[in-house]
Amino acid sequence: VQLVESGGGLVQAGGSLRLSCAASGFSFEDDDYGIGWFRQAPGKEREGLSCVSTSDGSIYNDESVKGRFTMSKDNAKNTVYLEMNDLKPEDTAVYYCAATDKWVRVISGYGLESDTYDYWGQGTQVTVSS
């Protein structure tokens, strides 16, 4: 399994970015996997933002980003996205996507926990200036 994030960059506060995570080694349509978006700011722990189960398409979001961040997936492209709006300086972090075949943990409420996931991308930097 490989995950490749893209779409990060420098944006002013109030702006938007869309992150992409292209997955290979499994199929969204044929395999049951959980995929999550996480971020880690300097000096802080990694936090889960949003996750999806390919088994039924259910998406779960952390309360901290509800209303601003939206996760989606494109089965044909085997890619998940994180649309981020109204960005704030405190959103500055490295953003990662992760995948697991333990999809039951994702639909059981553990999809925003790092240790649910076995595979991680290299991360993409998002910097929000004030």
Side-chain angles (χ1 to χ4, degrees):
V1 172
Q2 286 193 319
L3 305 166
V4 180
E5 302 99 333
S6 60
L10 174 64
V11 63
Q12 288 188 330
S16 300
L17 282 175
R18 188 177 81 154
L19 305 183
S20 301
C21 173
S24 60
F26 67 97
S27 166
F28 286 15
E29 291 186 336
D30 299 330
D31 300 311
D32 293 331
Y33 266 68
I35 307 164
W37 280 105
F38 291 77
R39 69 183 178 189
Q40 188 165 21
K44 294 189 176 181
E45 292 188 358
R46 188 171 296 182
E47 61 174 325
L49 304 173
S50 189
C51 60
V52 64
S53 167
T54 64
S55 63
D56 62 2
S58 299
I59 293 176
Y60 307 86
N61 298 299
D62 186 73
E63 288 292 329
S64 66
V65 297
K66 273 186 179 178
R68 294 195 302 128
F69 292 7
T70 303
M71 183 175 187
S72 62
K73 66 180 179 70
D74 184 329
N75 286 354
K77 295 183 178 180
N78 235 47
T79 297
V80 295
Y81 304 94
L82 186 68
E83 183 77 32
M84 306 187 294
N85 298 312
D86 189 25
L87 284 162
K88 307 175 188 301
E90 52 265 40
D91 294 318
T92 294
V94 179
Y95 284 70
Y96 300 89
C97 68
T100 179
D101 59 1
K102 299 187 290 291
W103 60 274
V104 174
R105 282 184 58 85
V106 172
I107 65 172
S108 298
Y110 300 98
L112 298 181
E113 297 183 6
S114 295
D115 60 9
T116 290
Y117 296 88
D118 304 301
Y119 309 100
W120 292 83
Q122 81 288 351
T124 186
Q125 176 71 47
V126 171
T127 303
V128 184
S129 63
S130 57

